[in-house]
Amino acid sequence: MNALEVRDLRKVYRNDVVALRGVNLEVAEGDFFALLGPNGAGKSTLIGIVSSLVNATSGEARVFGISVQKERSRAMAQIGLVPQEVNFNQFEKPFDIVVNQAGYYGVPRRIARERAEHYLKKLSLWDKAFGPSRQLSGGMKRRLMIARAMVHEPKLLILDEPTAGVDIEIRRSMWKFISEINEAGTTVILTTHYLEEAENLCRNVAIIDHGGIIENTSVKALLGKL
Ligand code: ADP
Ligand code: ADP
């Protein structure tokens, strides 16, 4: 079973920008996959469609065989999304942000609390869990969004530029945590414009440029070509 299948996906925004021009992509269950490309290539648009935040102009995305277009909420239940921009309520406490997210997926409150504690500890945020989230550093906010994305234990974790603008030490600890999630069986897809990130972390990679996939191979094979 593929974690993700994308068929002939096109996106033309209202301003006539063609962000995706017929993308085809498969990501196997258990994979650690990088979508690598420069700014403006179409990475955020692609994962926006997969996580049903953006409507495709045409084509289809399937998550574990479930059509994102036809069965939105079933597909979304499979996915944990870590967006690029901070999108939580900064007046809520980190613990509440994580627990409340679990509510949207029908996770019982007691289990949600246990998981929030588990993931906030794993991401070195437990000592901040009951303080104001607006005072967290940029790297901490990013980690909080990872904890929030994991609370319903999705089969597919998607991270949009997870370490952009994060300093090298925090970046290393985030890499370690994301690797552990993958080793525990969760399929991981991340977007990045750092070759180094794809190289250090991921098994397979697709290179996207101007809305098209120009290479789709293993990281090992890609490095052999460079
Ligand atoms: P959709 O086709 O998904 O409905 P829209 O074309 O309506 O998307 O744009 C959604 C939002 O993104 C709008 O508020 C728009 O102003 C904003 N937006 C427009 N151009 C850009 C851009 N180049 N990059 C990011 N956001 C943009
Ligand atoms: P990336 O994530 O690789 O930086 P994006 O998917 O954000 O690329 O953007 C792809 C193209 O679509 C860019 O030209 C961008 O300006 C444009 N774009 C992105 N979002 C919108 C939007 N909401 N409305 C109009 N154009 C957009």
Side-chain angles (χ1 to χ4, degrees), residues 16 24-25 39 78 81 93 97 103 114 116 158 161 165 172 208 210 219:
D16 295 332
N24 289 288
L25 195 62
N39 285 326
Q78 316 294 317
L81 177 68
K93 299 179 179 97
I97 289 168
E114 284 169 12
I158 302 178
E161 303 260 0
R172 288 215 180 91
I208 182 167
H210 292 99
V219 168

Side-chain angles (χ1 to χ4, degrees), residues 100-119:
N100 291 343
Q101 179 79 3
Y104 297 122
Y105 295 97
V107 177
R109 199 100 185 141
R110 185 180 56 78
I111 294 172
R113 288 205 196 92
E114 284 169 12
R115 287 186 189 164
E117 180 172 345
H118 171 77
Y119 287 109

Side-chain angles (χ1 to χ4, degrees), residues 13-15 17-19 37-46 84 160:
Y13 283 105
R14 271 180 232 171
N15 56 0
V17 171
V18 183
N39 285 326
K43 303 183 296 297
S44 295
T45 300
L46 180 53
Q84 218 179 116
D160 197 2

